[in-house]
Amino acid sequence: MSATGKRLVGVAICAVVVCVLIGLYIGLYLTTSPGDASAAGVTGSNGTNLYLATVAASELSDPHPSWVSYYAVDAKDQNWHHATTFELPANSLVHVTIYQFDGQSGLRNPFIAQATGIIGGTFGLNGKPTVAIGPDTASHIFAIPQMGVSVPLYGVPDDAKNPCDNAPCPLSTDHETITFTFRTPGKGLYRWQCFVPCAAGSIQGFGGPMQTVGYMDGFIKVV
Amino acid sequence: MNEVNHFRRVALIWLVSSVILTPIVVLAAQGIPPGDGTVQAAGQTTDNGVLLGLSTPVALAVVVFFIYSLIVFRERDAAAVLDGPPVRGHAGVQLWWIVTTTTIVLFLAGYGTVRMLTDGAGGGQGPNPIAKPTSSAAALPVQVIAQQWKFTFRFPTYGGVETNHLEIPANRLIAFHVTSLDVIHSFWAYQLGVKADANPGVDNIAYVQTKNPLTFNIHCAELCGVWHGYMFDTGAVVSGPQFASWIAQQRARFAPATKLLPPYAKQYFPDPQHRGG
Amino acid sequence: MPSSTSQTPNTEVDELVAVSTPQRPIWQRLIGFNLVTAVVLAIVGWLIGYWIGGRIHAPSLDFFADNGQNDISILLGYLLGVIGFMIGMGFANYPIRRMLGHPPTLAEHESEGEGLARYFRLCTDHKVVGLQYVVGIGFFFFIGGLNAMFIRTELLNPNNHAFGPNQYLTLVGLHGTMMMGMMTSVILGPFANWLVPLMIGCRRMAFPRIEAFTFWLLMAAGIVLLTTLFFGGFQTGWTGYQPLGGQGTAGYDAYIGFFALVGLSMCLLGLNLLVTIITMRAPGMTWSRLPIFVWSVLATATLMLLASPMLLAALLMGAFDRAVQTGFYVPGIGGSAYLWQNLFWVFGHPEVYIVALPGFGIVLELLPVFTRKPLWGYRLAVAGMLGVTLLSFFVWQHHLFVSGINADLRPFYMLSTELISLPTGFIFLCAMGTIWRGRIRFTVPMLFCLAWVFNFLIGGISGVFLSDVPSDVTTHGSFFSMAHFHYTIMGGLVFTLFAAIYYWGPKMTGFKFNERLAKIHFWSLFIAFNSTFGPLFALGLMGMPRRVVTYPTNLQALNDWVSVSAYVIGLSMLVFLVNLVWSQLFVREPAEANPWNSKSAEWQLPTPVPVHDFDRIPVFDGDPYPYGVPQVTAPVVAPAGGTA
């Protein structure tokens, strides 16, 4: 092969290698969190129902099996999915039920222990209407700052007999049930987050799952 | 063409373009954000106008000089490689340049300092501000607590109530005490002309003198983690009576939360040894 | 690239090598201390380091290890991996040989290996190191640029996100970190290493092994940074602010590793250049005859040497905070949130002058050639560069104007920052004086230098706005400051980088560039660059903060315009790449010895420059820019070897 031919082949190989590397770069990157799975709320007669669960650790097959996470029921198949993007209809009432399986941590800012942005200002904690919980008993918060919604999720006490360690968590294990209703605004993309630093320490506690969409953060698509 | 002729031409072109452009630029600058919704914002707009007014002639000097030179002194014969005159410098020109630029720079530094000391310019000055408006003793203290990833606001003179949104009274001097509970954020109230970093463990004070009612955007201006881009809110400057009724309503509504809060302090240190969960 | 057969054997070394060795099979040629061995030993080192980290146990450390984030393992893995890499490259050989009693020697590295192979091993020929740097940094430059394309894609729409917020922040951080880490060395590494010995009349740098070391260290650093993706990326941006960096995923350890290695590389590069320029100038090369480019290298090297250790200190504390839960930067347990900001910017501000100064040197070096006039105001230009160097250590708190620093400090830092525009202005005056009444030729390098003037003017003036506290209150942390530093860094450094590539490139490689493609590259880059970063000033003034994924919808039109312009920048870079590959690998038209008719010392040598540079050390006599005196064609007196 002539010198030019050799160089042409060399350049072509380099270009292909570079494109493959770029493709890997992008691909590996975009797959480091559980996919864009979204859960649509289950539409009922008096509004949409959204069923969520918070667990102490996601399932063992997850990319991060030791991380706390939210799970949601998908309207399409009525099954629990590891999803944090929720699709809800605009300008409607959404009834949320959260099964809370995780233990108690503490809030950085006790102000967030009071619920805001929900209909009636109270949420049901195991059936009891509640306005605020003790700041040290919070396990998680479900908050949509752009809608002003923020609801504290009471944690399973430390002396519980039958806690759930890893998802999937059956309802037979110890859990708290929180229910509330809020009204969605117009169409758009909103984000939600948790406010309880659940790992070690006030600063470090906001790392890991707290900063990763797919675990303790997500989006709400109002359509 | 001798040198004096060229230089006079450049100077003339510069003079004419400066005289025409500078007023246009300065006038246009009055519409530049952040506007004049508050005394501090108006001060910034004026300051920007002065800066623009000075930098336009300076920039024009360089641009006019270069464009003129590139056109007039270009090598017209593509093949020729002839040398230009061996001029290595001119002490007079260098001295004149040094003196002029130094004067401009010193003036700008002085003007900026005066502007800053007059009303604080809306910037965070730390726990011991020196640019205090004379009536700072009567300022309404509003604590801005930044946390990942929202701002909350605490009113020490109203029972230490904490709220999710910010409303402040018109025609009033406000002292923002900006602090953070975790990492570094920055409280940027755009139309108010206020920006103060929220450092954990620090009480960063920024003054603003409100005028008429307006709505303003609040953005976090320091990267604070994954939702930094979504850490925004809308605040409002409202009339005095409206503010009074709003704060009373917030106190009633957040009474349960106020009971759970620690006493008002200039900085907070949430327990770093909080149990994991 | 120069091949060994075109050199005239002139020293014992060349004679030894000129005896052609029979081609050994390729697998046999791969054995030895080269890149392949280095990569293998790097992987081995990583595994050992990671394993050792896993053996270290303590309750809080185990907690983080369980969360999939064993920072000790990762940091130790990087450390031992880089050590393995450098051992595999052969850098331990000489110290070990000396410790075993062998005499000092150098020549064995300069020319061993056939043409291309020299570039993949430890080679102490400063010209080889210069070319290695160009390709190596160029590779990471394009990766950083690709990240920028991704960033602008994300910002096309405030509600439809191309990437998740974590990924986006990592992209932003990678772009900035890659660029600031790599591009600080992009003039000094390639061009200073290649040119300074030739410009001052010596055959090699003061520390040739360290010279090669800084290059390979930088390459190792780049690979370390790219591995951040495997650990979840980092969410702090290139400034790595603590305490944010202390929380979050382990990708931040890659950031720490990268900047620590870059800091070390920069420190040693600066040291090498400084010592070379001070001690190894040829007879007659007095300080007042030093080419202005060498002065800018001297100034930059000083900054590199003095500023990098601050970064290393800050990073070390950050590594401890992450790995073993110390509290240097955590206020609740005795640390300070200000500490990182201050340490970082004490490094960070000289860092941006490290990026700007070589550009000054290149522009002032090239203008005399393309206006055929001596540099106007030589002493003023030197004073300007040294003034910038000195003042750059006294301005860093302007990054902290609204952070709540002691309010008494702000007038001082406002003054010092405004003052630094004065020596910068001297550079402009010297450029203006040089082109006045010159005979200007619009070659591609000249076009890039003129673009520098325009870009840096805008960048510099916007800097005056940012240095003014009242103005800074609105513009700090917004897209205005982004536009400012892109105008000065990209409009300054990158444009002068291309000027240097098109100007000195043919001398370094021996082959011409295609002129038409080069002009297309220039015009598309210049127009697209201004179209991209000009509107960012407006976006910042309209309230858009930095590093955000969403923005008010009324800003979308402007953001889309900027994104499309950014894609055009990407395309213009592709034009450059095509030109590079086409003209250097395929067409290969030999370059003349002095295509620009420069009277500077390095152009009096033949193309390609022989391994030993000069047959005899030249003796300098007279001004480095003897234009306007037709009988003087070069500043050197004694023959410098080869024919012009």
Side-chain angles (χ1 to χ4, degrees), chain C residues 30-81:
Chain C
L30 282 179
I31 295 177
F33 289 98
N34 54 30
L35 187 57
V36 174
T37 319
V39 169
V40 167
L41 282 185
I43 296 175
V44 168
W46 160 269
L47 290 171
I48 296 178
Y50 201 90
W51 179 84
I52 294 178
R55 303 278 83 73
I56 299 176
H57 290 289
S60 66
L61 304 183
D62 288 349
F63 177 86
F64 286 97
D66 286 344
N67 267 331
Q69 189 172 299
N70 191 338
D71 297 298
I72 301 183
S73 282
I74 295 173
L75 287 167
L76 274 180
Y78 283 140
L79 181 66
L80 292 189

Side-chain angles (χ1 to χ4, degrees), chain C residues 523-534:
Chain C
W523 284 109
S524 54
L525 180 63
F526 182 58
I527 294 174
F529 171 79
N530 279 289
S531 168
T532 305
F533 293 102

Side-chain angles (χ1 to χ4, degrees), chain C residues 13-36:
Chain C
V13 174
D14 279 348
E15 277 165 2
L16 280 170
V17 177
V19 175
S20 58
T21 44
Q23 282 282 42
R24 291 176 298 156
I26 199 160
W27 63 266
Q28 213 177 42
R29 278 189 282 157
L30 282 179
I31 295 177
F33 289 98
N34 54 30
L35 187 57
V36 174

